[in-house]
Amino acid sequence: MEQLSNVQQSTTRQRTSGWLNGLIGVVIFSGSLPTTRLAVLEFDPVFLTVARASIAGLLALALLWLFRARRPAREQLLPLLVVALGVVVGFPLLTALALQYVTSAHSIVFVGLLPLATAVFGVLRGGERPRAAFWCFSILGSLLVVGYALAQGLSAAPLGDLLMLLAILVCGLGYAEGARLSRTLGGWQVICWALVLSLPVMLVLSGFCRPASFSGISSAAWICLGYVSLFSMLIGFVFWYRGLAQGGIAAVGQLQLLQPFFGLALAATLLHEQVSLGMLGVTVAVIFCVAGARRFSR
């Protein structure tokens, strides 16, 4: 009986640690869009993408060497490539391009679809058969986001909205593949190997895409580059994948629902962007739809 009680306590502590690590990861990710918005005011979006991946990749290489992490198996290389294309290249590049046309507060509404995109790709990759209610919530959430974008008028920034939707799709795929890999490869090792896998190309592109001069770059832009490189690209994923591994992908993954709220607060505080009641209302409605879809995903 005592041994059983100890096992239960250990399981409870592990799940609690998973929720805490996942929450830290979500808070870190919440600062990505506001800091990217500031960075693209002075850095080219392509250079920002390859530079942040290069910096994070070098740090990831050092971590893998320091902890003598085992190399991924051959069959894990293709999923790692999908993770790299989704969260190392695709999402950062597409959001950086989108934030040239829309505000970070506007883009955060689309982030409310990220848990749903992750769930959809998880369902497709895992071969599960969700109930009809799942698809009802999925379609309703998508219609809310599309309706919000159209309500702003076609002259608002249709290209920015399209880029954000594409960013959510590729990121959802990258999250789903990373979550599957974390079960066998390890939580933090997934993002580190994905970064190292893309490092040679990112370093070469950083050299080709670098500005002619860095003299006009402000300290704020450098700080933002440092944040998205160190925290958004590496440290946030260390906590995030560790949380998924400890607390369960389905359970801890729902913490992403808090990200739009954190992001809106940061956009209003750091960038003094206006967060309208309509924008907040759509975000809440999307979160409700995502929560319903996640509930009926099995």
Side-chain angles (χ1 to χ4, degrees):
M1 182 67 68
E2 183 179 352
Q3 185 177 3
L4 180 61
S5 177
N6 290 336
V7 171
Q8 291 175 340
Q9 290 178 359
S10 176
T11 302
T12 301
R13 285 196 298 268
Q14 185 176 18
R15 289 177 178 175
T16 302
S17 179
W19 279 91
L20 179 59
N21 283 315
L23 180 60
I24 294 173
V26 168
V27 172
I28 291 174
F29 292 150
S30 299
S32 299
L33 290 178
T35 50
T36 300
R37 169 69 172 173
L38 284 174
V40 295
L41 295 176
E42 302 183 46
F43 287 115
D44 176 77
V46 176
F47 173 76
L48 179 65
T49 301
V50 296
R52 66 188 280 185
S54 298
I55 295 171
L58 291 172
L59 293 173
L61 184 62
L63 285 174
L64 291 170
W65 176 82
L66 181 64
F67 291 100
R68 295 180 172 84
R70 64 181 178 87
R71 294 183 179 180
R74 181 176 298 179
E75 60 270 16
Q76 293 173 324
L77 292 179
L78 182 57
L80 277 173
L81 181 61
V82 173
V83 174
L85 291 175
V87 303
V88 176
V89 180
F91 184 77
L93 177 59
L94 290 169
T95 52
L97 292 171
L99 288 168
Q100 291 184 308
Y101 304 97
V102 300
T103 66
S104 62
H106 181 96
S107 65
I108 286 167
V109 175
F110 291 87
V111 176
L113 285 175
L114 185 53
L116 177 58
T118 305
V120 169
F121 282 112
V123 167
L124 294 175
R125 296 289 295 149
E128 299 178 358
R129 293 182 179 273
R131 287 177 262 176
F134 171 86
W135 300 112
C136 291
F137 279 111
S138 174
I139 294 172
L140 179 58
S142 300
L143 289 175
L144 282 170
V145 173
V146 173
Y148 170 79
L150 293 176
Q152 307 305 304
L154 294 178
S155 60
L159 180 57
D161 291 340
L162 177 61
L163 289 169
M164 281 303 306
L165 285 173
L166 292 175
I168 296 304
L169 288 175
V170 298
C171 189
L173 177 59
Y175 275 179
E177 287 296 328
R180 293 178 67 237
L181 274 176
S182 65
R183 299 169 180 169
T184 55
L185 188 58
W188 64 271
Q189 292 93 330
V190 169
I191 188 59
C192 284
W193 282 116
L195 285 165
V196 169
L197 189 63
S198 59
L199 182 59
V201 176
M202 294 298 102
L203 284 174
V204 172
L205 291 177
S206 295
F208 278 109
C209 299
R210 71 182 187 276
S213 174
F214 291 100
S215 59
I217 306 298
S218 67
S219 57
W222 285 112
I223 292 173
C224 290
L225 174 59
Y227 183 91
V228 296
S229 302
L230 183 60
F231 290 94
S232 302
M233 189 63 71
L234 181 59
I235 296 179
F237 278 102
V238 171
F239 284 104
W240 181 241
Y241 281 129
R242 182 185 297 171
L244 291 176
Q246 291 177 328
I249 296 172
V252 176
Q254 295 187 37
L255 285 170
Q256 292 180 98
L257 303 179
L258 299 174
Q259 188 169 336
F261 289 112
F262 293 141
L264 288 172
L266 287 171
T269 303
L270 299 179
L271 304 180
H272 306 291
E273 294 181 354
Q274 182 180 2
V275 179
S276 65
L277 289 178
M279 188 182 298
L280 185 59
V282 170
T283 302
V284 172
V286 168
I287 288 174
F288 169 77
C289 293
V290 174
R294 292 289 286 180
R295 180 179 179 182
F296 293 102
S297 61
R298 293 183 180 180

